Amino acid sequence: MVLEKIMTPIALFDSGIGGLSVLHQAQKILPHESFVYFADTACVPYGTKSKETVSLCVEKAVEQLATLPIKALVVACNTATSITIKPLRLKYDFPIIGMEPAVKPAIERNRLLNKRVLVLATPLTLQQDKYNSLVTELDREDVVDAFPLPELVQYCEQLTFDEDKISTYLREKLQNLDLSTYSTVVLGCTHYPYYKKIFKALMGSSVEIIDGNIGTVKHLKSILASAQLLATSKPSTTSEVTFLSSYDKVETARRCRKALHYLSAQQI
Ligand code: DGL
């Protein structure tokens, strides 16, 4: 019975293909696990919708995932976490790991450099109490700026990774910010790490581009380890990742495979 539980997959969930940037790290850090990845393609994007709509979408998606044998759920989406993490944890008894913009390590790094921190996330994440209380608590010296990039989620969902196109978009969007004032950029949306190299080129080599993906997977690993649920050998009958979605299942699975392949090729 316990062995059976150890062999059950970990579920990861996002509005679309953004959470694959977390799955990509999970496959590296937890090579013996199998995964179920759910893309809520009927509702994507979350970041420009109302809080109420996103709550309903997440509720429906997780209800579907909870019918499967899963040993933990990673809400691989900052927007969904900021709105639904509390009710989800009250409703389900499997471990639920959420995500939030990595403001803390960014402020710590910036302290040594005496510049500023730029947090990029969806409009909805930046409007939520969860994000605003995090910044109020940590940003004692008032060094954090935030900027929403909703169109980047759309580009990502279309698998648009063209460097010229994305650089032009980013330059235009961020034109009113003095980019030379930042030491650190926080990618507070799981869709944005696909563009990490483009951000790096735009900001300059001394600017650190931080996301919460590796931290989230390490947290997941420690939770599984303390519950004695960490797999130590790969199950031979289970495929590594099962892709599920709320709309256009075959096409979504194809896009997910392509996106994961892109992330591996990027070596991020
Ligand atoms: N990837 C998500 C996040 O981390 C949501 C993006 C969206 O659907 O707008 O916030």
Side-chain angles (χ1 to χ4, degrees):
M1 180 62 187
V2 174
L3 185 65
E4 205 177 291
K5 185 120 196 238
I6 290 172
M7 294 314 215
T8 57
I10 297 163
L12 289 96
F13 157 77
D14 179 49
S15 60
I17 65 168
L20 294 173
S21 66
V22 184
L23 175 63
H24 170 62
Q25 301 300 344
Q27 286 180 305
K28 288 196 268 186
I29 297 171
L30 301 167
H32 302 303
E33 302 291 345
S34 56
F35 301 94
V36 172
Y37 184 84
F38 187 99
D40 193 7
T41 36
C43 287
V44 69
Y46 284 171
T48 48
K49 292 194 169 63
S50 72
K51 190 176 168 173
E52 292 71 27
T53 304
V54 172
S55 292
L56 289 174
C57 292
V58 175
E59 202 179 304
K60 217 164 139 190
V62 179
E63 261 167 25
Q64 206 175 315
L65 275 170
T67 63
L68 306 171
I70 56 169
K71 64 179 175 187
L73 171 69
V74 180
V75 182
C77 174
N78 294 265
T79 312
T81 300
S82 63
I83 290 167
T84 63
I85 200 77
K86 278 192 189 155
L88 286 180
R89 286 191 177 130
L90 287 175
K91 187 166 174 186
Y92 298 103
D93 56 9
F94 43 75
I96 300 181
I97 291 89
M99 302 202 58
E100 64 183 12
V103 175
K104 196 172 178 204
I107 289 181
E108 271 160 23
R109 176 175 194 272
N110 184 65
R111 200 162 286 137
L112 307 168
L113 298 160
N114 213 11
K115 293 181 97 180
R116 299 190 64 76
V117 168
L118 178 60
V119 178
L120 302 170
T122 69
L124 202 54
T125 297
L126 298 177
Q127 282 157 21
Q128 297 315 303
D129 289 347
K130 194 169 190 301
Y131 172 75
N132 289 299
S133 355
L134 180 76
V135 173
T136 306
E137 188 195 321
L138 299 172
D139 187 18
R140 298 274 153 82
E141 277 145 29
D142 198 14
V143 293
V144 176
D145 298 326
F147 201 89
L149 293 174
E151 299 83 2
L152 203 52
V153 173
Q154 307 277 23
Y155 279 129
C156 188
E157 287 298 317
Q158 293 155 7
L159 302 181
T160 301
F161 301 127
D162 181 78
E163 207 174 320
D164 287 344
K165 193 166 187 170
I166 302 299
S167 301
T168 306
Y169 159 74
L170 290 175
R171 263 197 292 273
E172 229 166 78
K173 275 305 266 198
L174 304 174
Q175 63 182 329
N176 293 329
L177 299 177
D178 178 359
L179 299 184
S180 69
T181 57
Y182 297 107
S183 73
T184 314
V185 172
V186 177
L187 303 182
C189 167
T190 54
H191 282 77
Y192 300 172
Y194 284 86
Y195 303 105
K196 207 164 183 170
K197 287 190 177 161
I198 299 178
F199 278 112
K200 189 90 185 162
L202 179 76
M203 300 301 299
S205 57
S206 63
V207 178
E208 185 96 6
I209 315 291
I210 294 184
D211 65 57
N213 290 0
I214 292 179
T216 300
V217 176
K218 286 186 175 161
H219 182 49
L220 164 68
K221 186 177 179 179
S222 75
I223 284 179
L224 291 178
S226 53
Q228 296 185 313
L229 285 174
L230 214 46
T232 49
S233 62
K234 202 180 272 289
S236 55
T237 49
T238 322
S239 72
E240 226 177 294
V241 187
T242 305
F243 294 107
L244 303 172
S245 56
S246 48
Y247 176 74
D248 212 353
K249 294 184 172 51
V250 175
E251 171 57 15
T252 303
R254 187 194 67 82
R255 280 192 313 115
C256 283
R257 283 195 194 91
K258 217 169 157 185
L260 252 189
H261 186 76
Y262 177 79
L263 287 165
S264 307
Q266 286 284 296
Q267 295 177 320
I268 47 175

